[in-house]
Amino acid sequence: MASPTRKPRLAVWKFASCDGCQLSLLDCEDELLAVAGALDIAYFMEATRGRIEGRYDLSLVEGSITTAHDAERIREVRRRSRRLVTIGACATAGGIQGLRNFADVAEYAAAVYARPDYIATLATSTPIAEHVPVDFELRGCPISKRQLLEVVSAFLAGRRPVTPAHSVCVECKLRGTVCVMVAHGTACLGPVTHAGCGALCPAYDRGCYGCFGPKETPNPASLSGRLAALGMDGGQLGRVYRSFNANAPEFRQESQRHGRQDEPQDDQG
Amino acid sequence: MTSDRPAVLTLEGLQGLIEALAAEGYRVLGPTRRDGAIVYDAIAGLDDLPAGWGDEQDGGRYRLVERGDAALFGYAVGPHSWKRELHPPHLTLFRTRREADGFSVEAAADEPEPTAFLGVRACELAAIAVQDRTFLEGPQADPHYARRRAGSFLVAVNCGEPAGTCFCVSMETGPRARGGYDLALTELLDAAGHRFLLEVGSERGRALAERLDARPAEAADLAASRAVSERAAGRMGRRMETGGIKALLQENQEHARWDQVAERCLSCANCTMVCPTCFCTTVEDTSDLSGETAARVRRWDSCFTLDFSYIHGGTVRGSTKARYRQWMTHKLASWYDQFGVSGCVGCGRCIAWCPVGIDITEEVAAIRGEKNPESAG
Ligand code: SF4
Ligand code: SF4
Ligand code: SF4
């Protein structure tokens, strides 16, 4: 436990991201008072404007590194933080903006912006852990509010958070959901995806989209064989692993294995 | 009904059985159709049963099909097993509270409702008997399982329609229930009408049966019931050669087949979760934000996770090969060392619900060096 004389200082930092993950904290309506009671929320762009300089006991970092300025800023955050926890697919894998890693970022910029010369950006979107040491990574796009509270509670108690790295399948089986792939023939990334969402999509009759990124020791090559048997062609296999966690190594390699000769056309479309 | 002589129930009589169980204070669970499968859930009467539905099952594949008749139990085992009830996926064990001078521990209340299971298959009775050895007869009896087990009333229904993944004949557990039930039914659907042969297996079963509106069974009913089981026994979708299986697996720990299956295995743990005998759990400790309370929750775990074999310094079974080998060798070989029986009852769930259709019978045949294992059965 932290000393009762001073509450630990919490900061929430934002890099290239949609804000969805840090909004999960504000979304903890019932628990927000308890969070505020346990921690001194010293820096949180979504909730306050006042910037507090100094040092932080726990920094939650959302977003990926896409600019040289941010690559420098994350080092400053690390220097100021006793514990640094990355939250969400952007911070842990590079996010949906990691799609740029498969393409020519100058072409992207020219297609999107009227004055691409105003855009100063890196060629890649990379996870925080590629830039600074990270104490704990919390997966998800967006993260689960329940898991965020667990990580904060674990930090306060000085224990390891309970966020198992097994498959989404385990969560389906725990809640008794009928497997959508076996019983309906629906393509599902659950067998290669990290648990955490509580197996939300299969409970609503959808296949898993892989929002929490690769599970421990994933075997996407074997799963792809099954997805192909369910009717996915090479192009679809290339794309199915390429969403919020496209840049996670096991998903990236598997998507690249499935013939991306058609890549330029896809990028235009 | 007044003796242990088999009797015959009509459809109304079956409805009466469900109502009698409810009147006795049991929560009645049985087969029902949901989300494209036959699952076990609360039932109030015949209308909740999957009339006319059967299934097709193969490696990694399960589909409901219309049978074209009115059978209420014309399906094979599905994604759920009674393990969910007797050995629940999550169970809070205790809570602790910070006190002025340390902390207090309070066991979580555990007062399971008495529950009747309608439609327990022979392989499932065998699986419950296997878990009884694990949870009741071992050096560490599990009080949670014991409470649920004592409060459960088992109504077996003999299988008439095995699936493509079934091999209870190989494991000598089915298809006909041979004991371990309170009541056993055989669904008969022939020229003599839609009816159920009712057999008594326990004192409790007899007491309940005496309250039912049933007629004594005739020779023709008994013959029809036997014929259902014989026909089912002849239609197993899979088979497994079990002779010398313990030595076969324990002496082939470095067989090339383990590498081959590991190429396909997703280490997703589905096989262990659906298996009616797998019993492994982990405990998760959580604390609240204020640091005032904490709880310990037990949840199903699997030898396919890395945490499962994590000890100080690392994970013992890091490779998928080691994990698959652990699972299969435990089920079919070291279970004998531990509990004196096979850990596999031949229900076929691990075959059907494996996303990539890995087939325990095919793996055994391959390690035996049998040619063309797929054509088995
Ligand atoms: S096979 Fe694995 S999960 Fe099943 S009982 Fe054995 S060790 Fe446990
Ligand atoms: S190992 Fe497979 S076939 Fe055997 S009891 Fe378990 S799930 Fe059923
Ligand atoms: S055998 Fe099948 S169900 Fe079991 S862990 Fe491997 S892929 Fe998953």
Side-chain angles (χ1 to χ4, degrees):
Chain A
M1 275 301 287
S3 125
T5 53
R6 181 182 75 85
K7 284 195 280 187
R9 301 183 81 203
L10 171 79
V12 185
W13 307 93
K14 175 182 158 57
F15 289 80
S17 61
C18 78
D19 287 16
C21 288
Q22 41 170 324
L23 285 173
S24 307
L25 191 55
L26 289 183
D27 194 31
C28 298
E29 288 158 7
D30 297 337
E31 299 86 357
L32 207 52
L33 281 177
V35 173
L39 291 147
D40 172 16
I41 302 179
Y43 184 63
F44 190 1
M45 272 231 296
E46 283 293 343
T48 166
R49 296 216 152 263
R51 172 164 190 151
I52 303 175
E53 305 287 341
R55 303 189 69 78
Y56 306 94
D57 295 292
L58 176 62
S59 277
L60 301 176
V61 178
E62 175 197 270
S64 68
I65 301 300
T66 56
T67 66
H69 173 251
D70 276 355
E72 196 39 57
R73 192 161 61 99
I74 189 61
R75 287 192 196 96
E76 181 61 18
V77 169
R78 176 72 266 192
R79 271 192 290 274
R80 292 176 174 279
S81 309
R82 191 160 70 80
R83 287 270 183 273
L84 188 155
V85 171
T86 51
I87 59 170
C90 299
T92 59
I96 189 75
Q97 61 275 26
L99 288 176
R100 70 166 65 171
N101 304 3
F102 300 88
D104 180 350
V105 74
E107 266 180 42
Y108 268 4
V112 173
Y113 297 100
R115 290 293 305 272
D117 49 314
Y118 284 5
I119 303 296
T121 186
L122 297 172
T124 54
S125 170
T126 43
I128 301 299
E130 283 189 25
H131 299 266
V132 294
V134 167
D135 296 297
F136 188 79
E137 292 191 311
L138 182 64
R139 304 282 201 86
C141 183
I143 55 169
S144 128
K145 146 185 154 174
R146 177 184 55 80
Q147 284 203 323
L148 178 62
L149 289 169
E150 165 59 14
V151 167
V152 173
S153 303
F155 163 79
L156 289 167
R159 63 176 172 83
R160 185 181 162 206
V162 180
T163 56
H166 57 225
S167 65
V168 170
C169 300
V170 171
E171 299 192 300
C172 271
K173 292 299 182 276
L174 292 176
R175 67 189 279 176
T177 301
V178 174
C179 177
V180 298
M181 190 143 68
V182 168
H184 314 156
T186 303
C188 180
L189 291 185
V192 297
T193 299
H194 193 295
C197 62
L200 196 55
C201 289
Y204 291 90
D205 213 6
R206 309 291 296 261
C208 167
Y209 294 93
C211 308
F212 281 59
K215 76 172 196 57
E216 60 185 18
T217 66
N219 187 353
S222 174
L223 181 66
S224 295
R226 184 73 192 140
L227 298 178
L230 292 175
M232 277 199 180
D233 63 23
Q236 288 170 309
L237 284 171
R239 283 188 296 275
V240 72
Y241 296 100
R242 209 173 273 196
S243 60
F244 323 107
N245 289 281
N247 193 49
E250 297 93 342
F251 282 6
R252 183 178 62 220
Q253 282 153 22
E254 186 58 16
S255 85
Q256 284 172 330
R257 214 166 61 81
H258 296 280
R260 297 294 296 175
Q261 310 89 319
D262 57 331
E263 200 129 40
Q265 288 95 306
D266 273 17
D267 292 339
Q268 307 298 306
Chain B
M1 195 174 146
T2 52
S3 75
D4 279 359
R5 293 242 308 285
V8 170
L9 287 178
T10 59
L11 283 170
E12 293 73 42
L14 181 64
Q15 175 70 33
L17 168 60
I18 296 170
E19 288 168 8
L21 287 165
E24 281 290 301
Y26 290 105
R27 179 174 65 118
V28 185
L29 302 181
T32 196
R33 186 164 64 96
R34 191 177 74 217
D35 300 330
I38 310 289
V39 298
Y40 298 148
D41 208 342
I43 55 161
L46 300 188
D47 288 348
D48 293 321
L49 301 178
W53 288 94
D55 49 72
E56 279 174 8
Q57 302 192 41
D58 201 350
R61 189 170 191 282
Y62 175 104
R63 289 293 183 283
L64 288 181
V65 290
E66 294 196 59
R67 295 172 49 88
D69 66 14
L72 298 175
F73 298 94
Y75 58 87
V77 293
H80 289 174
S81 77
W82 304 107
K83 177 172 86 171
R84 282 194 83 71
E85 297 300 321
L86 296 172
H87 178 52
H90 289 106
L91 190 73
T92 301
L93 299 178
F94 61 77
R95 294 189 178 79
T96 65
R97 174 171 294 282
R98 183 184 296 281
E99 306 288 358
D101 53 350
F103 64 94
S104 60
V105 178
E106 188 194 330
D110 186 37
E111 286 151 17
E113 252 185 288
T115 303
F117 304 165
L118 173 65
V120 184
R121 301 305 196 178
C123 63
E124 299 185 301
L125 290 170
I128 291 169
V130 169
Q131 288 214 320
D132 284 352
R133 288 179 182 245
T134 305
F135 290 126
L136 303 179
E137 293 163 26
Q140 302 290 339
D142 180 273
H144 310 285
Y145 182 90
R147 270 177 221 128
R148 285 162 178 75
R149 187 70 177 87
S152 60
F153 188 105
L154 306 188
V155 183
V157 177
N158 287 317
C159 259
E161 202 75 58
T165 41
C166 289
F167 57 105
C168 62
V169 166
S170 300
M171 307 316 287
E172 297 176 11
T173 58
R176 195 175 180 87
R178 277 170 304 196
Y181 53 79
D182 294 299
L183 293 172
L185 301 170
T186 313
E187 183 167 33
L188 303 174
L189 199 55
D190 56 26
H194 196 172
R195 64 203 190 283
F196 299 86
L197 185 81
L198 174 68
E199 294 168 280
V200 165
S202 73
E203 266 313 314
R204 266 197 312 197
R206 178 178 305 114
L208 198 95
E210 278 169 1
R211 300 171 39 192
L212 301 178
D213 183 15
R215 68 161 168 84
E218 292 164 15
D221 301 313
L222 298 174
S225 168
R226 274 195 305 275
V228 164
S229 297
E230 278 158 25
R231 183 166 169 274
R235 297 172 70 228
M236 290 288 114
R238 298 277 201 286
R239 70 178 176 81
M240 184 190 283
E241 173 55 54
T242 57
I245 197 162
K246 180 164 127 55
L248 175 81
L249 296 179
Q250 289 178 342
E251 288 163 16
N252 278 292
Q253 296 279 300
E254 295 308 324
H255 197 284
R257 183 69 184 193
W258 301 119
D259 290 301
Q260 292 157 14
V261 71
E263 290 268 300
R264 295 172 60 209
C265 178
L266 306 164
S267 65
C268 61
N270 277 302
C271 47
T272 54
M273 299 280 136
V274 296
C275 180
T277 69
C278 273
F279 55 78
C280 288
T281 55
T282 185
V283 289
E284 294 180 336
D285 289 349
T286 54
S287 53
D288 69 0
L289 285 164
S290 66
E292 290 304 309
T293 64
R296 173 162 295 179
V297 175
R298 185 180 86 180
R299 85 158 157 77
W300 287 355
D301 197 4
S302 162
C303 52
F304 280 95
T305 72
L306 282 181
D307 276 351
F308 184 88
S309 66
Y310 183 87
I311 53 169
H312 177 76
T315 286
V316 175
R317 296 189 199 98
S319 70
T320 299
K321 169 187 170 180
R323 283 177 264 160
Y324 186 86
R325 186 176 54 198
Q326 156 64 23
W327 132 259
M328 196 168 120
T329 310
H330 191 206
K331 300 266 80 169
L332 298 173
S334 44
W335 212 288
Y336 287 100
D337 295 328
Q338 214 177 350
F339 303 112
V341 288
S342 171
C344 173
V345 297
C347 73
R349 285 186 181 87
C350 58
I351 305 172
W353 300 97
C354 171
V356 291
I358 291 174
D359 177 344
I360 191 168
T361 66
E362 186 185 333
E363 296 311 306
V364 168
I367 288 179
R368 279 190 194 282
E370 283 175 17
K371 295 275 179 298
N372 202 10
E374 270 107 323
S375 67

